[in-house]
Coordinates of all heavy atoms in Angstrom, one line a residue:
S165 N 7.4 19.5 -9.0 CA 8.5 18.6 -9.1 C 9.7 19.1 -8.4 O 9.8 20.3 -8.1 CB 8.9 18.4 -10.6 OG 7.9 18.0 -11.4
G173 N 8.5 17.2 0.1 CA 7.4 16.6 0.9 C 7.0 17.5 2.0 O 5.8 17.8 2.2
D185 N -8.2 24.9 -0.1 CA -8.8 24.7 -1.4 C -7.9 23.9 -2.4 O -8.2 24.0 -3.6 CB -9.2 26.0 -2.0 CG -8.1 27.0 -2.1 OD1 -7.1 26.8 -1.5 OD2 -8.3 28.0 -2.8
L188 N -4.5 17.1 -3.2 CA -3.3 16.4 -3.7 C -3.7 15.2 -4.4 O -4.4 14.4 -3.8 CB -2.3 16.1 -2.5 CG -1.0 15.5 -2.9 CD1 -0.1 16.5 -3.7 CD2 -0.2 15.1 -1.6
P197 N 5.2 -0.4 -1.0 CA 5.0 0.6 0.0 C 6.1 0.7 1.0 O 6.7 -0.4 1.3 CB 3.7 0.2 0.7 CG 3.1 -1.0 0.0 CD 4.2 -1.5 -1.0
G200 N 4.8 2.5 6.8 CA 3.9 3.6 7.2 C 3.1 4.1 6.0 O 2.1 4.8 6.2
E201 N 3.4 3.7 4.8 CA 2.6 4.2 3.7 C 1.4 3.3 3.5 O 1.4 2.1 3.7 CB 3.4 4.1 2.4 CG 4.4 5.2 2.2 CD 5.2 5.2 0.9 OE1 5.3 4.2 0.3 OE2 5.7 6.3 0.5
S211 N 0.2 -3.8 -9.3 CA 1.3 -4.7 -9.8 C 1.7 -4.2 -11.2 O 1.0 -3.3 -11.8 CB 0.7 -6.1 -10.0 OG -0.3 -6.1 -11.0
L225 N -3.2 10.0 -17.7 CA -3.0 11.3 -18.3 C -1.5 11.4 -18.6 O -1.0 12.1 -19.6 CB -3.4 12.3 -17.3 CG -3.3 13.8 -17.7 CD1 -4.2 14.1 -18.9 CD2 -3.8 14.7 -16.6
F230 N 10.6 5.6 -13.2 CA 11.6 6.4 -12.3 C 12.2 5.4 -11.4 O 11.5 4.7 -10.7 CB 10.8 7.5 -11.5 CG 11.7 8.4 -10.8 CD1 12.3 9.5 -11.3 CD2 12.0 8.1 -9.4 CE1 13.1 10.4 -10.6 CE2 12.9 9.0 -8.7 CZ 13.4 10.1 -9.3
K238 N -4.0 8.9 -13.1 CA -5.2 8.5 -13.9 C -6.0 9.8 -14.4 O -6.2 10.8 -13.7 CB -6.2 7.8 -13.0 CG -5.7 6.3 -12.7 CD -6.2 5.4 -13.7 CE -5.6 4.0 -13.6 NZ -6.4 3.1 -12.7
N251 N -9.1 22.6 -7.2 CA -7.7 22.8 -7.6 C -6.9 21.6 -7.2 O -7.0 21.2 -6.1 CB -7.2 24.1 -7.0 CG -8.0 25.3 -7.3 OD1 -8.4 25.6 -8.4 ND2 -8.4 26.0 -6.2
L254 N -0.4 17.9 -8.6 CA 0.3 16.6 -8.9 C 1.7 16.8 -8.4 O 2.4 17.7 -8.8 CB 0.3 16.3 -10.4 CG -1.0 16.3 -11.2 CD1 -0.8 15.9 -12.6 CD2 -2.0 15.4 -10.5
A271 N -1.9 24.2 -17.3 CA -1.4 23.7 -16.0 C -0.2 24.5 -15.6 O 0.5 25.0 -16.5 CB -1.0 22.2 -16.2
I274 N 5.6 24.0 -11.4 CA 6.5 24.6 -10.4 C 7.6 23.6 -10.1 O 7.4 22.5 -9.7 CB 5.7 25.0 -9.1 CG1 4.5 25.8 -9.4 CG2 6.7 25.7 -8.1 CD1 3.5 25.9 -8.3
R289 N 23.3 12.6 1.6 CA 24.2 11.9 2.4 C 23.8 11.8 3.8 O 23.9 10.8 4.5 CB 25.6 12.4 2.2 CG 26.2 12.2 0.9 CD 27.7 12.4 0.8 NE 28.2 12.3 -0.5 CZ 28.4 11.2 -1.2 NH1 28.2 10.1 -0.5 NH2 28.8 11.2 -2.4
D324 N 15.2 28.2 2.6 CA 14.6 28.5 3.9 C 13.1 28.1 3.7 O 12.4 28.6 2.8 CB 14.7 30.0 4.1 CG 14.0 30.4 5.4 OD1 14.5 30.2 6.5 OD2 12.8 30.9 5.2
K326 N 10.3 28.6 5.3 CA 9.3 29.6 5.5 C 9.2 30.5 4.2 O 8.1 30.8 3.7 CB 9.6 30.5 6.7 CG 8.4 30.6 7.6 CD 8.8 31.3 8.9 CE 7.5 31.9 9.5 NZ 7.9 32.7 10.6
K338 N -1.8 33.5 -7.2 CA -1.8 34.3 -8.4 C -2.5 33.5 -9.6 O -3.0 34.1 -10.5 CB -0.4 34.5 -8.8 CG -0.1 35.6 -9.8 CD 1.2 36.3 -9.7 CE 2.3 35.3 -10.1 NZ 3.7 35.8 -10.0

Side-chain angles (χ1 to χ4, degrees):
S165 308
D185 54 347
L188 185 64
E201 284 186 335
S211 67
L225 181 60
F230 186 88
K238 287 273 172 85
N251 305 307
L254 308 183
I274 308 166
R289 290 192 186 285
D324 174 83
K326 235 176 153 183
K338 199 155 66 179

